[in-house]
Amino acid sequence: MQHTEQMRQNKSKKSLLRTGLRLMLAAIIIPLAASLLLFFGFVSRQMRTQAEHMTQYYTDQLVNSTTDALSQAQSIIYFTLGSDTVQSVMHSSQNPVGTQAELVQQEIGRATLFNAAWDDQYVHSIFLFRQDGIAFPASRSGIYQAEYGRLETVFRLFPDRNSTQSLIALTNNAEYSYMVVDYNSLNDPARCLGKLILEVDTAALIDAAPLQSVYPGAEVMLSDAQGNLLYAASDRLVGDLLVDLRTLDGTSNGVSQVIRWAGGDYLHCRAAVGDMILDVCVPQREILTGVHTTAAWYVLLTSLIFIGVLISAIYAYRGLLRPFAHTQQTLDRMAEGDLSVRMDAPEYQELAGMADTFNRMADTLTDLYQDAYKKGVLLRESEFKMLEAQINPHFIFNVLQVINLRCMEAGQKETSRMVTDLAGLLHGTIGKNGAPKVTFRQELAYVRYYLDLQKARFENALQYEIDYADPSILDYYLPKLTIQPLVENSVVHGLEPKRGGGKVSVKIWEEDDSVYIRVEDDGVGFLQGAVSPGAHNHIALYNIRKRLELMYGTHGTFRMSSMPGTGTVVLIIIPIDKTEGEHDVQRTSGGQ
């Protein structure tokens, strides 16, 4: 009856599977909705960032290519200025004969030979004008009449122009721009003999095609330092639009910034090319052109994902009900005290881990039950033994105190010292203080008690050394009787079998939040593989290792190395422990 009532109450409670299904659907719907809302901002920001990088990259590449082209054009100028043939004709006031004119043209042609600016068609034609108006042309097309009219106009309109770092144009956004340089006498550099004028194909120099292939409405323009337009990729950049761009504040060289210009928002980047200014503008509306199309595909894709997840969740819910019913029956049997019950291997891989965990838990409970029973028996036995042994340490210490007083009365100081050391050592090993940890000061006191006793036995055949790097280490804690058994093991198993005795060294230092303990002897040593961990003559090493594992886990380290005839080295590494322990051991009178 009670079980039936419990079943009825359980059915009235919430279903964990249904709740999980709702949470799973909410965990899908909410991120999808949030991602849809954030989509436009994120994608827009990414596309703007991409446009900024592309604009800056295109601007930098354009500045480099234009600078290189101007540098190549300068090499044509310098070659022509250094030609003796051209210099002689330019110095002459006579009209050149046919041969002289041909020689000058040949020299100009040689200046363009293998020149990148000429080969890449940046430089369209070159005219050398003498001060009296006589011209020496070099044209790629070989038709000089049209070029002569344009370059003669430049020669006439700009008599004071002299620059290799900037270009000039006869009209705004003209097809060609010009580099005008004084042709000076080599003997008298201050004397101007004429003008060397290079006609530059500005469209070839400023190639806007790569940027406009991605953003068709992108604007690229080159103007001189006075704001006169030399070239524009679009014919619309004239008049007020150019003036508005020139008067913009806050533009930084080489940095893309959003500006309001020409009735819209543009990504603008400005850079200097020699004495000229290069402006690149990309309309914001073209940067975001693909966002709406991408958003539509994104909504469609997320909707399909949601429908698929919903159908999968329904099937998963129905499939999980069956194995959970079996699991419930098994748990009920365990709750009734049947520790022998075990889960069968489930048909679903995802539940295999649960079944394995349950079975291991059942095995652990069985082992714990048996272990608890055995420990209960042992505990009762140990309580009787502790009652029996309580009088023993007190009796031993009283007897040793009487022996010590008799030795002092008889003047036997050395014997008194040995009795005191033995009392101190026994106090640490069989005393009633059950503290599991002691300070290094206490532990080293036990070590000295033992070594002083062995020193009295072996005299000069035993040498020992105790060294610690910092006195503050003495206040740290370690498991009780960690160092003393190692020292005892070195003396008994390392030095006693060795003729002539030997030395035991104990060194303690602090490093990287850990305390390092090194116990070394130069005794007979042993083959590590030949001795099992639980062997009688090495039981102390095994016990210390197990105590370190129990107290520090993976944070404690025990290393031992030994070879026959070379001695044994034991290294212990434990974390710095400043927790409280028992009071420091004080040696009785007559001790050291």
Side-chain angles (χ1 to χ4, degrees):
M1 183 67 181
Q2 183 178 2
H3 180 71
T4 304
E5 179 64 19
Q6 183 68 31
M7 292 287 292
R8 188 183 63 81
Q9 293 179 359
N10 289 341
K11 291 182 178 179
S12 64
K13 294 180 180 180
K14 296 181 179 179
S15 171
L16 179 61
L17 290 177
R18 292 193 184 97
T19 302
L21 179 61
R22 296 190 194 101
L23 292 176
M24 182 177 64
L25 294 178
I28 296 173
I29 295 173
I30 293 175
L32 286 177
S35 63
L36 185 61
L37 294 176
L38 295 175
F39 176 79
F40 289 97
F42 174 76
V43 173
S44 299
R45 183 169 61 253
Q46 291 295 108
M47 297 184 73
R48 288 192 183 96
T49 301
Q50 180 181 0
E52 290 177 3
H53 293 166
M54 179 175 290
T55 303
Q56 292 176 359
Y57 175 79
Y58 171 78
T59 303
D60 293 339
Q61 293 297 315
L62 193 55
V63 168
N64 293 334
S65 63
T66 304
T67 303
D68 291 342
L70 293 178
S71 177
Q72 294 296 331
Q74 292 171 16
S75 66
I76 297 176
I77 295 171
Y78 298 146
F79 184 88
T80 307
L81 288 173
S83 173
D84 294 336
T85 302
V86 179
Q87 283 281 334
S88 64
V89 174
M90 294 296 288
H91 277 84
S92 176
S93 60
Q94 303 295 326
N95 291 333
V97 297
T99 304
Q100 290 180 319
E102 291 178 359
L103 289 176
V104 172
Q105 292 181 3
Q106 290 177 3
E107 287 296 305
I108 297 176
R110 289 179 57 193
T112 62
L113 190 62
F114 305 118
N115 189 279
W118 184 268
D119 294 339
D120 294 338
Q121 299 183 1
Y122 298 145
V123 177
H124 182 260
S125 59
I126 304 170
F127 274 62
L128 177 60
F129 286 88
R130 223 164 55 174
Q131 291 288 33
D132 55 7
I134 295 177
F136 303 95
S139 173
R140 177 178 290 103
S141 64
I143 303 173
Y144 303 109
Q145 190 61 36
E147 286 89 340
Y148 177 78
R150 295 192 299 267
L151 274 73
E152 192 275 335
T153 302
V154 173
F155 173 71
R156 178 169 44 83
L157 293 178
F158 302 97
D160 298 328
R161 184 75 173 192
N162 181 30
S163 176
T164 60
Q165 296 297 319
S166 63
L167 303 173
I168 59 175
L170 296 177
T171 59
N172 282 340
N173 199 17
E175 181 180 1
Y176 299 107
S177 55
Y178 303 91
M179 182 184 295
V180 182
V181 182
D182 287 343
Y183 192 95
N184 296 323
S185 172
L186 293 179
N187 298 327
D188 185 6
R191 180 185 175 189
C192 181
L193 303 177
K195 294 288 186 180
L196 186 61
I197 303 177
L198 280 69
E199 186 175 62
V200 178
D201 188 343
T202 318
L205 183 66
I206 308 298
D207 186 10
L211 185 63
Q212 290 182 334
S213 64
V214 181
Y215 306 109
E219 307 287 1
V220 182
M221 69 203 75
L222 182 68
S223 55
D224 59 20
Q226 289 73 35
N228 299 315
L229 182 63
L230 299 176
Y231 170 80
S234 173
D235 294 336
R236 62 191 291 265
L237 293 178
V238 294
D240 295 338
L241 289 180
L242 183 61
V243 174
D244 292 343
L245 185 62
R246 285 288 167 260
T247 57
L248 284 174
D249 294 329
T251 56
S252 302
N253 288 338
V255 178
S256 299
Q257 295 181 343
V258 178
I259 62 173
R260 185 73 179 176
W261 177 65
D265 292 330
Y266 282 77
L267 189 62
H268 176 232
C269 187
R270 175 174 292 173
V273 183
D275 295 334
M276 298 174 290
I277 299 174
L278 177 68
D279 288 286
V280 178
C281 298
V282 177
Q284 289 279 74
R285 65 179 183 276
E286 294 188 3
I287 297 176
L288 303 177
T289 299
V291 173
H292 298 286
T293 302
T294 307
W297 281 104
Y298 180 79
V299 172
L300 177 61
L301 179 61
T302 52
S303 300
L304 293 176
I305 293 175
F306 173 74
I307 294 173
V309 171
L310 180 61
I311 295 173
S312 301
I314 294 174
Y315 276 102
Y317 171 73
R318 292 180 178 178
L320 286 175
L321 285 178
R322 291 191 301 271
F324 267 102
H326 176 70
T327 302
Q328 182 64 46
Q329 295 175 359
T330 307
L331 292 175
D332 289 340
R333 291 179 58 186
M334 174 68 72
E336 293 172 359
D338 185 3
L339 298 181
S340 64
V341 66
R342 298 292 185 272
M343 283 189 181
D344 298 331
E347 57 179 323
Y348 295 103
Q349 181 181 3
E350 290 75 11
L351 296 178
M354 180 187 299
D356 182 65
T357 301
F358 176 84
N359 293 336
R360 286 190 286 109
M361 179 187 70
D363 293 339
T364 302
L365 288 175
T366 303
D367 294 340
L368 289 176
Y369 176 80
Q370 296 176 355
D371 185 62
Y373 176 78
K374 294 178 181 179
K375 286 184 177 179
V377 175
L378 294 176
L379 179 62
R380 288 193 295 271
E381 293 179 355
S382 63
E383 288 176 351
F384 287 115
K385 291 182 180 180
M386 289 178 62
L387 291 175
E388 294 174 355
Q390 280 184 352
I391 194 172
N392 294 337
H394 183 69
F395 173 74
I396 293 174
F397 295 143
N398 287 340
V399 172
L400 290 176
Q401 185 177 6
V402 171
I403 296 174
N404 182 41
L405 291 174
R406 296 290 176 86
C407 291
M408 293 179 64
E409 290 174 356
Q412 299 178 357
K413 295 182 179 181
E414 187 64 27
T415 304
S416 174
R417 176 186 176 87
M418 293 177 61
V419 171
T420 302
D421 290 339
L422 178 60
L425 182 60
L426 292 176
H427 185 274
T429 55
I430 66 174
K432 289 187 289 182
N433 191 339
K437 293 186 292 185
V438 296
T439 63
F440 275 88
R441 181 178 286 105
Q442 294 172 283
E443 183 71 14
L444 293 179
Y446 301 149
V447 172
R448 289 191 176 92
Y449 294 149
Y450 176 78
L451 289 174
D452 286 346
L453 289 172
Q454 292 289 25
K455 182 73 173 175
R457 175 187 174 192
F458 293 103
E459 296 182 349
N460 293 332
L462 172 63
Q463 301 294 326
Y464 70 86
E465 176 187 11
I466 300 177
D467 180 31
Y468 42 87
D470 189 347
S472 62
I473 294 179
L474 298 178
D475 296 322
Y476 296 161
Y477 286 82
L478 78 164
K480 184 178 180 181
L481 295 178
T482 297
I483 305 177
Q484 190 273 332
L486 295 177
V487 173
E488 182 177 351
N489 192 76
S490 295
V491 173
V492 174
H493 301 295
L495 299 184
E496 284 189 15
K498 179 182 178 181
R499 294 183 179 181
K503 181 178 180 180
V504 179
S505 174
V506 179
K507 294 185 178 180
I508 307 171
W509 71 93
E510 180 181 344
E511 183 179 335
D512 296 334
D513 298 329
S514 299
V515 177
Y516 287 68
I517 306 169
R518 179 185 175 95
V519 178
E520 181 178 3
D521 66 74
D522 56 358
V524 296
F526 61 93
L527 283 174
Q528 294 179 244
V531 181
S532 61
H536 176 71
N537 58 339
H538 290 283
I539 192 68
L541 303 179
Y542 176 75
N543 289 339
I544 294 172
R545 187 195 301 270
K546 297 302 292 184
R547 289 168 60 202
L548 292 176
E549 291 178 358
L550 291 174
M551 185 165 293
Y552 299 110
T554 58
H555 298 288
T557 301
F558 183 96
R559 301 173 186 169
M560 178 179 63
S561 61
S562 180
M563 285 295 294
T566 61
T568 302
V569 177
V570 177
L571 178 64
I572 295 177
I573 305 174
I574 59 174
I576 294 178
D577 188 356
K578 298 182 180 180
T579 56
E580 294 184 0
E582 60 183 329
H583 297 293
D584 294 346
V585 174
Q586 299 294 333
R587 299 189 64 161
T588 58
S589 59
Q592 181 177 335

